[in-house]
Amino acid sequence: MTDQPVVTEREARAVAEQARQSDWTMDSFAKDLYLGEFRPDLVWPRPPDDPEREARGQQFLTDLEAHLRRHIDGARIEAEDRISDLDLSGLIELGVFGIKIPTRYGGLGLSQVHYNRALMLLGTVHPSLGAMVSAHQSIGVPEPVKQFGNEAQKEQYLRRCAEGAISAFLLTEPDVGSDPARLQTSATRTPEGDYLLDGVKLWTTNGVLAELLVVMARVAPHSGGKGGITAFVVEAHAPGITVERRNAFLGLKGLENGVTRFHQVRVPAENVIGAEGRGLKIALTTLNTGRLSIPALCVAASKWSLKIAREWAAERVQWGRPVGRHPAVAHQLAFMATTTYAQEAMVEIAGQLSDSGGADIRIEAALAKLWCSEMAWQVADRLVQIRGGRGYETAASLAARGERAVPAEQVLRDLRINRIFEGASEIMHLLIAREAVDAHLSVAGKLIDPDADLSAKADAAKAAAAFYAGWLPRLVVGPGDSPTGFADLGPLAGHLRYVERTSRRLARSTFYGMARWQGGLEHKQGFLGRIVDIGAELFAMTAVCAHASAHGGRGGPGSPQALANAFCRQSRLRVNSLLRALWVNTDSTDEALAADVLEGRYSWAEAGIIDASEGTGPWIADAAPGPSTTDSVARRYR
């Protein structure tokens, strides 16, 4: 194992803080929600801004669905663990790899909403199709170049991507995950002003077949600049690049995910995206909208799971009636139906906010990713439970003995990665919590900063006194306390009043937590996680009410309003439980116990098993820079 430089917790935090987008220049529904200000006007559905683009988007989805039904066999992808060249060719011809690329660069120029819906279609044929397109267009070359590239880069790379050049995003390394301060891939300046890349990247989704790469590498300080982590567009088949292996996973068969080594790979200076040192900021900003792809795929899996559960529960008879008529199963179906609809509402609303161009959706996108990935897993788990033994049996096995080939177990396997992809749930909690308390840290951060001098603390105290003198009184009463509050927003106004009241209570709880723990709040991850989860539920409730309102009417059995009402009733129970757990929990005893577990004090509880993995290799593979010692497994598909 190569020696990694020692990076302190403070240094790692400083790198992450410098990379985050620190200003708020546009409205953010979720930011206001965490501050106790409920703004349903920011998320209520509006007519499409561009009817012509709306029409083109609907036509594209129609064409895509027809193509997928006729030409792509998800079962074959699963069996062969490969998306064929013919499949890729058909998707290229349809323009799938340029859905959001502007038309002036050869793309389809469609909206985030239509892109999300396209991912849903792709994901239900096979989730690896959705993951491939998402990795290419949400975080691969198109999005960072569109947002931060110069005109020459856009003309060259966006056009190539629209024509079918699949791309990949390379940040993770064998010993670097969510802590980019430890990034080791280097970019060394040459006398000519170009760069030489050296290092190893892990879990490079699309990396095995990509033509273009976005690579994050560390540039050392030099006479021309401070260097820092920098984003590069790199030709995937350039000399010195070796795809050393294609990785295999629990699910997502067909995913071309690999280990990529760079050895003295020359990259022209004009391939820097943005500027030196801006790589992490570019990556995080790209993820603001890129994260919406994960919840879109979760919605697709949940919709399919609901459909199968409904059909099976109506068909399967036990004890004289369909199993869905038994309350134990009915409760599962009710959860699946409401949660699926709420996921769709959250993704649609977040997509509309993104398309509006007038909203900062960094928190909304992160909440959608966190909440949908967690809830979709629960939906799929309930499907497997309702299907019983057939839920655990593979589709191929079911078909072989003459039954409908329902891949319930596959959906469960495929969905599991979404709680890890593009920020594991634990990291998402911390990321969202940081944004949720940003207003507080902006005015009072120096008060709890151990490095701040007395003068800075005095200035912060004055600013905090002024801020809280105006903010805290607003949390006492609001429109949620009025029996007629939000009546103009339809029959679900009662739930919106609950959201407004709870938003103020959440903001008060956040303030109490900051006052109680001050600088220690960052280590109260149980408390912060619950704060985030409450906000996620409140966002989901608002989104589902807004989404249902777009259909009009007061609703009855079978209406969107009825489904939204049922969801909000379930969500309110979860929120009330989370609110209580903010202050009544086992966090401190659990953390003390975990420390003892790590020290080995409870290793006796592990006795009586055989660990076959012992001796098979180190926990983290050696990633020393240098030439590759293996043949490349890179794939060329056109």
Side-chain angles (χ1 to χ4, degrees):
M1 185 69 204
T2 57
D3 292 332
Q4 289 277 5
V6 176
V7 179
T8 67
E9 181 180 357
R10 182 173 296 181
E11 290 170 337
R13 194 164 57 242
V15 169
E17 188 65 21
Q18 290 167 8
R20 65 175 287 272
Q21 185 179 344
S22 58
D23 56 330
W24 296 87
T25 60
M26 295 185 290
D27 289 329
S28 169
F29 169 81
K31 176 177 178 286
D32 287 344
L33 188 74
Y34 281 109
L35 285 171
E37 185 175 354
F38 179 51
R39 295 279 309 279
D41 58 293
L42 296 180
V43 299
W44 230 246
R46 305 174 183 85
D49 293 331
D50 187 343
E52 187 271 335
R53 184 171 71 164
E54 178 76 12
R56 287 192 295 109
Q58 291 302 323
Q59 185 59 56
F60 169 72
L61 293 174
T62 299
D63 295 342
L64 176 63
E65 180 175 358
H67 176 84
L68 293 172
R69 288 183 181 278
R70 285 198 303 263
H71 299 296
I72 299 188
D73 181 357
R76 177 174 49 78
I77 294 174
E78 184 71 13
E80 297 178 356
D81 193 12
R82 178 184 173 90
I83 301 169
S84 72
D85 292 353
L86 184 61
D87 290 343
L88 293 174
S89 176
L91 296 177
I92 290 170
E93 188 174 343
L94 275 171
V96 167
F97 296 101
I99 295 174
K100 292 204 300 174
I101 293 175
T103 55
R104 66 180 178 274
Y105 302 115
L108 300 182
L110 298 182
S111 67
Q112 181 71 38
V113 168
H114 288 110
Y115 174 62
N116 291 342
R117 293 173 185 171
L119 289 176
M120 288 168 58
L121 287 170
L122 291 160
T124 46
V125 173
H126 195 280
S128 287
L129 294 171
M132 173 186 64
V133 173
S134 169
H136 160 75
Q137 192 153 250
S138 298
I139 58 174
V141 168
E143 195 65 29
V145 168
K146 186 172 73 170
Q147 290 195 46
F148 298 98
N150 57 43
E151 188 56 36
Q153 291 172 334
K154 292 177 183 178
E155 181 61 40
Q156 179 179 1
Y157 296 119
L158 293 185
R159 193 167 295 281
R160 280 180 61 184
C161 287
E163 292 171 352
I166 296 174
S167 66
F169 173 78
L170 279 62
L171 171 62
T172 304
E173 298 176 0
D175 199 26
V176 179
S178 299
D179 182 7
R182 304 175 73 246
L183 192 82
Q184 288 301 292
T185 297
S186 64
T188 306
R189 290 287 297 262
T190 69
E192 301 80 17
D194 294 336
Y195 299 84
L196 294 177
L197 299 188
D198 287 277
V200 178
K201 295 294 187 180
L202 177 63
W203 297 326
T204 60
T205 299
N206 290 354
V208 178
L209 54 71
E211 290 186 25
L212 294 170
L213 312 172
V214 175
V215 181
M216 297 293 164
R218 186 182 298 278
V219 178
H222 54 88
S223 59
K226 296 181 179 179
I229 297 175
T230 303
F232 299 87
V233 178
V234 181
E235 297 286 346
H237 302 297
I241 296 179
T242 306
V243 180
E244 295 191 329
R245 65 166 287 108
R246 180 186 173 209
N247 300 317
F249 299 101
L250 171 72
L252 291 185
K253 305 301 180 184
L255 191 71
E256 301 280 1
N257 178 294
V259 177
T260 304
R261 178 178 292 272
F262 298 84
H263 177 60
Q264 296 287 286
V265 179
R266 182 173 288 271
V267 180
E270 58 264 28
N271 284 32
V272 171
I273 305 175
E276 280 188 6
R278 294 196 66 201
L280 286 182
K281 187 175 288 286
I282 288 171
L284 292 177
T285 305
T286 297
L287 280 171
N288 285 341
T289 53
R291 282 199 173 100
L292 292 179
S293 63
I294 297 293
L297 293 167
C298 290
V299 171
S302 292
K303 281 176 171 279
W304 182 86
S305 297
L306 174 61
K307 177 181 184 294
I308 296 298
R310 172 182 58 81
E311 293 174 350
W312 170 250
E315 177 72 21
R316 175 67 162 165
V317 174
Q318 293 282 273
W319 298 300
R321 68 170 90 172
V323 294
R325 299 292 181 182
H326 293 285
V329 175
H331 298 162
Q332 309 273 43
L333 289 171
F335 172 85
M336 294 175 72
T338 57
T339 305
T340 296
Y341 186 60
Q343 288 178 67
E344 180 180 43
M346 188 179 278
V347 171
E348 284 283 306
I349 293 297
Q352 291 167 13
L353 289 173
S354 176
D355 289 331
S356 73
D360 188 325
I361 67 161
R362 74 184 87 163
I363 303 181
E364 288 83 350
L367 286 173
K369 191 276 176 187
L370 170 66
W371 194 82
C372 291
S373 63
E374 291 291 335
M375 301 308 273
W377 170 258
Q378 294 187 40
V379 169
D381 185 60
R382 282 165 167 79
L383 168 64
V384 170
Q385 191 69 22
I386 290 171
R387 285 277 289 165
R390 289 172 172 84
Y392 196 67
E393 190 173 1
T394 67
S397 178
L398 289 164
R401 59 183 186 77
E403 292 194 2
R404 182 169 168 175
V406 177
E409 57 82 29
Q410 179 195 328
V411 169
L412 198 63
R413 287 188 288 105
D414 291 335
L415 271 174
R416 187 60 183 82
I417 188 58
N418 292 326
R419 298 167 65 197
I420 301 171
F421 258 168
E422 296 184 22
S425 292
E426 294 75 16
I427 295 299
M428 298 306 297
H429 277 111
L430 298 180
L431 182 152
I432 297 166
R434 171 61 184 87
E435 300 297 350
V437 301
D438 185 59
H440 300 283
L441 294 179
S442 296
V443 297
K446 293 296 183 182
L447 286 173
I448 58 178
D449 184 352
D451 296 327
D453 58 28
L454 290 177
S455 175
K457 288 181 182 292
D459 290 341
K462 293 177 184 177
F467 172 77
Y468 290 118
W471 178 69
L472 284 170
R474 297 202 302 269
L475 302 182
V476 178
V477 295
D481 297 309
S482 169
T484 60
F486 308 111
D488 59 318
L489 297 181
L492 298 170
H495 295 305
L496 299 176
R497 290 193 288 272
Y498 173 86
V499 172
E500 195 278 336
R501 294 193 303 273
T502 308
S503 172
R504 286 186 280 115
R505 182 177 175 183
L506 179 63
R508 293 194 300 268
S509 297
T510 304
F511 174 74
Y512 298 154
M514 291 191 66
R516 177 176 177 178
W517 293 301
Q518 300 183 41
L521 180 63
E522 66 177 297
H523 298 295
K524 298 296 181 180
Q525 294 179 5
F527 176 86
L528 291 173
R530 295 181 191 100
I531 290 288
V532 169
D533 287 340
I534 292 167
E537 292 284 350
L538 297 182
F539 178 34
M541 290 174 67
T542 308
V544 81
C545 291
H547 194 50
S549 75
H551 298 277
R554 299 196 63 83
S559 69
Q561 289 81 5
L563 207 52
N565 175 58
F567 169 77
C568 288
R569 291 168 64 88
Q570 295 171 2
S571 180
R572 288 167 73 154
L573 292 177
R574 292 193 291 268
V575 169
N576 292 340
S577 177
L578 286 166
L579 285 167
R580 182 175 185 275
L582 286 174
W583 312 108
V584 181
N585 54 65
T586 60
D587 289 354
S588 59
T589 55
D590 290 346
E591 290 160 18
L593 176 62
D596 287 339
V597 170
L598 289 173
E599 292 295 328
R601 295 190 177 101
Y602 292 101
S603 59
W604 51 265
E606 302 160 9
I609 56 97
I610 297 172
D611 179 4
S613 72
E614 287 185 353
T616 59
W619 286 108
I620 299 171
D622 185 12
S628 182
T629 58
T630 184
D631 293 334
S632 180
V633 298
R635 169 185 167 193
R636 294 181 184 264
Y637 59 93
R638 64 170 188 159

